[in-house]
């Protein structure tokens, strides 16, 4: 739930980013003191605007990409562990099943 701002390398929560983006768009479209500048006014207008949707979609794309990379990394690591375990059980360090131990 953290978003890294690309240029400044600052991490903020998604909730904080959403709140800040909405307030920024609200203040640029509705001057302070106007009757349309309340917290609940025009949320639908704001979240459907290009000013909100474009960066929100960039963030969503980036998060989806990071999830895919993490899943791929996990799949590769799990495959390596499976191969290691498989190779270990067939290791030459262990005697063959037909080996008879000396008395």
């Amino acid at each position: 739930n953290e978003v890294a701002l690309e240029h400044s390398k600052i991490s903020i929560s998604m909730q904080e980013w959403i709140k800040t983006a909405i307030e920024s768009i609200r203040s640029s479209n509705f001057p302070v003191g106007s009757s349309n500048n309340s917290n609940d006014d025009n949320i639908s207008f704001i979240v459907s605007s290009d000013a909100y949707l474009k960066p929100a979609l960039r963030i969503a794309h980036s998060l989806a990409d990071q999830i895919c990379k993490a899943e791929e990394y996990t799949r590769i690591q799990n495959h390596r562990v499976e191969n290691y375990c498989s190779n270990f059980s067939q290791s030459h360090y262990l005697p063959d099943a037909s080996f008879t131990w000396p008395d």
Side-chain angles (χ1 to χ4, degrees):
N1 287 334
E2 297 268 326
V3 177
L5 299 177
E6 189 173 329
H7 299 292
S8 60
K9 303 293 183 193
I10 297 172
S11 293
I12 63 171
S13 70
M14 274 302 266
Q15 182 179 8
E16 186 62 28
W17 181 86
I18 291 168
K19 190 166 75 173
T20 302
I22 289 172
E23 289 306 316
S24 174
I25 295 166
R26 179 180 284 128
S27 66
S28 67
N29 287 308
F30 306 106
V32 176
S34 74
S35 60
N36 290 328
N37 200 21
S38 72
N39 284 338
D40 297 327
D41 286 345
N42 299 309
I43 292 291
S44 295
F45 169 77
I46 291 169
V47 298
S48 63
S49 70
D50 285 349
Y52 181 85
L53 283 176
K54 286 180 181 179
L57 289 173
R58 271 190 241 116
I59 290 169
H61 181 269
S62 175
L63 290 173
D65 188 48
Q66 289 177 32
I67 290 169
C68 288
K69 286 177 182 176
E71 287 177 347
E72 178 68 11
Y73 176 80
T74 300
R75 187 186 64 74
I76 289 169
Q77 294 298 12
N78 287 340
H79 182 70
R80 286 181 182 159
V81 168
E82 287 170 8
N83 283 342
Y84 175 78
C85 291
S86 173
N87 291 338
F88 183 77
S89 67
Q90 299 170 9
S91 172
H92 297 292
Y93 298 111
L94 301 175
D96 187 85
S98 63
F99 181 81
T100 54
W101 292 95
D103 291 328

